[in-house]
Amino acid sequence: MIAQDKNTNSNNLNAHQQSMAGIAAFSAVGNMQQLKTELNTGLDSGLTINEIKEALVQLYAYCGFPRSLNAINAFMEVLEKRKADGITDLQGREASPIKAVNDQYRVGKETLQKLTGREEKEPKTGANAFAPVIDVFLKEHLFAAIFSRDVLNYRQREFVTISILAAMSGVEPQLQAHISMGLNTGITENQIIELSTIIEKKIGKEQAEIVKSLLKKVIQNNKNN
């Protein structure tokens, strides 16, 4: 199991996590007005500019470049307004340079195996067998190029991913998979329940109920395995 980071030694979501959940959720559904409010709240709570930028870039892998670019543009507007109002926000550390490797697919495969806690078996099945190139894109772009960036660790990236998918309808299989990965990276069951409460307040009860239902399925599956 991947260790939790220093800011996640509690069963409760801290202010940073609550704000990141809202930022991810509103970005995913394209609610720019509410997103701007949430961005201000997140910056006021101490989230750095670079942490938020990493989350908004990661967004593209789950709901497309248009949502990601719109959210980034909204963030730029928020920062410009805050600067004009005399507010200085924390830039935060930049991502470390990623070592060039010849086999990005292998890097992504190893990252995914760490997240799931399971060795990937061959031959491929399902969508990855039907359209092998999607497996390549997932491994090389998402789990290698994005997840290798160290501004956010695996636990934080999974929390962002779960928040994105929790806000969207029709992505239950992916949400269930990432809830499982999130638990494996150190997110607790109680934190996901708290996240469902945030989703209910900001997105709607139906989406929140899906989160809780899928969490129960993941817990039951873990008990059976």
Side-chain angles (χ1 to χ4, degrees):
M1 180 175 287
I2 301 167
Q4 295 178 324
D5 61 276
K6 286 188 283 188
N7 294 325
T8 315
N9 52 13
S10 167
N11 272 332
N12 301 112
L13 295 177
N14 60 33
H16 287 190
Q17 294 161 332
Q18 292 174 29
S19 291
M20 192 64 90
I23 289 168
F26 286 132
S27 297
V29 298
N31 188 332
M32 294 298 101
Q33 194 57 47
Q34 289 297 325
L35 172 60
K36 289 178 182 179
T37 299
E38 204 67 47
L39 287 166
N40 275 293
T41 301
L43 291 166
D44 289 340
S45 75
L47 281 174
T48 70
I49 294 172
N50 284 338
E51 285 172 337
I52 295 174
K53 280 199 289 189
E54 285 293 321
L56 299 183
V57 169
Q58 181 176 322
L59 190 77
Y60 97 83
Y62 298 98
C63 54
F65 277 110
R67 290 278 195 248
S68 178
L69 290 169
N70 288 346
I72 289 169
N73 285 328
F75 190 30
M76 291 169 60
E77 291 178 20
V78 166
L79 290 174
E80 287 171 4
K81 176 68 164 56
R82 289 171 68 89
K83 185 177 180 180
D85 291 342
I87 301 171
T88 301
D89 293 303
L90 296 171
Q91 186 69 39
R93 66 188 182 88
E94 301 285 343
S96 303
I98 298 175
K99 293 181 180 179
V101 295
N102 293 326
D103 193 352
Q104 284 287 91
Y105 183 87
R106 177 185 57 79
V107 173
K109 181 178 179 179
E110 291 174 354
T111 298
L112 183 57
Q113 289 178 159
K114 290 176 183 176
L115 293 171
T116 62
R118 298 189 305 272
E119 183 178 356
E120 187 174 287
K121 303 292 185 182
E122 297 288 350
K124 299 188 190 324
T125 60
N128 289 344
F130 181 72
V133 71
I134 196 68
D135 179 57
V136 174
F137 289 161
L138 280 168
K139 298 290 198 314
E140 293 185 352
H141 295 307
L142 177 56
F143 293 112
I146 294 179
F147 270 69
S148 292
R149 294 172 61 82
D150 60 2
V151 172
L152 301 178
N153 61 27
Y154 289 167
R155 186 209 58 77
Q156 292 168 316
R157 289 195 181 279
E158 279 303 323
F159 185 75
V160 169
T161 300
I162 294 167
S163 300
I164 292 167
L165 296 174
M168 299 166 63
S169 61
V171 293
E172 286 83 358
Q174 292 77 23
L175 177 55
Q176 181 173 334
H178 281 282
I179 287 174
S180 179
M181 287 186 245
L183 293 176
N184 193 48
T185 62
I187 299 171
T188 68
E189 295 172 17
N190 191 64
Q191 287 170 340
I192 294 178
I193 292 170
E194 270 197 70
L195 172 61
S196 73
T197 302
I198 293 173
I199 293 298
E200 179 172 355
K201 179 180 177 181
K202 299 181 184 298
I203 305 299
K205 185 172 183 177
E206 183 177 355
Q207 289 304 119
E209 290 300 321
I210 289 172
V211 175
K212 288 186 281 190
S213 174
L214 293 177
L215 174 61
K216 289 179 182 177
K217 285 185 179 180
V218 170
I219 293 169
Q220 188 60 49
N221 288 342
N222 289 343
K223 289 179 179 177
N224 293 338
N225 292 333

